[in-house]
Amino acid sequence: MADEAKGAAVGSRRGWVLRQADAALLVARDGEQMFRSTLSAGTTGAPAVAGGWYRVGPGVTNHIDMHPDRDEIYFIYRGTATIVMDGEAMTMAAGDTVFVPHGVDHHIANGSDEALELFYVFAPAAPPFPTRQDDRYPVVEFKPA
């Protein structure tokens, strides 16, 4: 059972290996922001957390975001950028963990020459990201897994 595929996951009742290549790639209109939602109730059956991979290209600033009822965590594994939370700018870089409490306005400004890549986690789980191109999201390209 440990090697049996379960949607975008490989594993057993004790856990899963979630593969980015098994999750749809969504690309924003600017072509410099993209994400894959790998961790969700749909992939693990766990309704308490959701997460995935997010990339912000060089010179890109994403929109101001706020989650009234869920905290967000970023683990930065490539690049350097600035995160602005409630108007306070802080540098984040590979190896850093960033905690964004619920109710806090935040956005990322990547002023560097290299892409920023991070793994994000929402707790409790966020509503599912789109699994296809959807006009509610600034997505121009959808590559199914």
Side-chain angles (χ1 to χ4, degrees), residues 4-78:
E4 184 178 320
K6 293 189 180 267
V10 176
S12 69
R13 289 185 54 88
R14 293 192 177 120
W16 290 266
V17 174
L18 306 167
R19 304 189 193 288
Q20 280 192 48
D22 291 337
L25 174 66
L26 282 82
V27 181
R29 288 191 181 110
D30 61 15
E32 290 295 329
Q33 295 179 73
M34 53 191 74
F35 66 90
R36 293 180 191 267
S37 183
T38 54
L39 176 64
S40 68
T43 58
T44 65
V49 296
W53 169 83
Y54 181 50
R55 178 191 183 276
V56 180
V60 172
T61 297
N62 70 358
H63 67 281
I64 295 174
D65 203 3
M66 190 273 289
H67 316 287
D69 55 356
R70 60 188 45 92
D71 298 324
E72 190 170 14
I73 299 166
Y74 301 146
F75 176 74
I76 314 305
Y77 60 91
R78 180 171 296 133

Side-chain angles (χ1 to χ4, degrees), residues 67-97:
H67 316 287
D69 55 356
R70 60 188 45 92
D71 298 324
E72 190 170 14
I73 299 166
Y74 301 146
F75 176 74
I76 314 305
Y77 60 91
R78 180 171 296 133
T80 301
T82 299
I83 184 162
V84 179
M85 289 191 274
D86 273 349
E88 182 181 348
M90 295 166 272
T91 300
M92 57 184 184
D96 291 347
T97 300

Side-chain angles (χ1 to χ4, degrees), residues 37 126-131 137:
S37 183
F129 285 109
T131 55
Y137 296 86

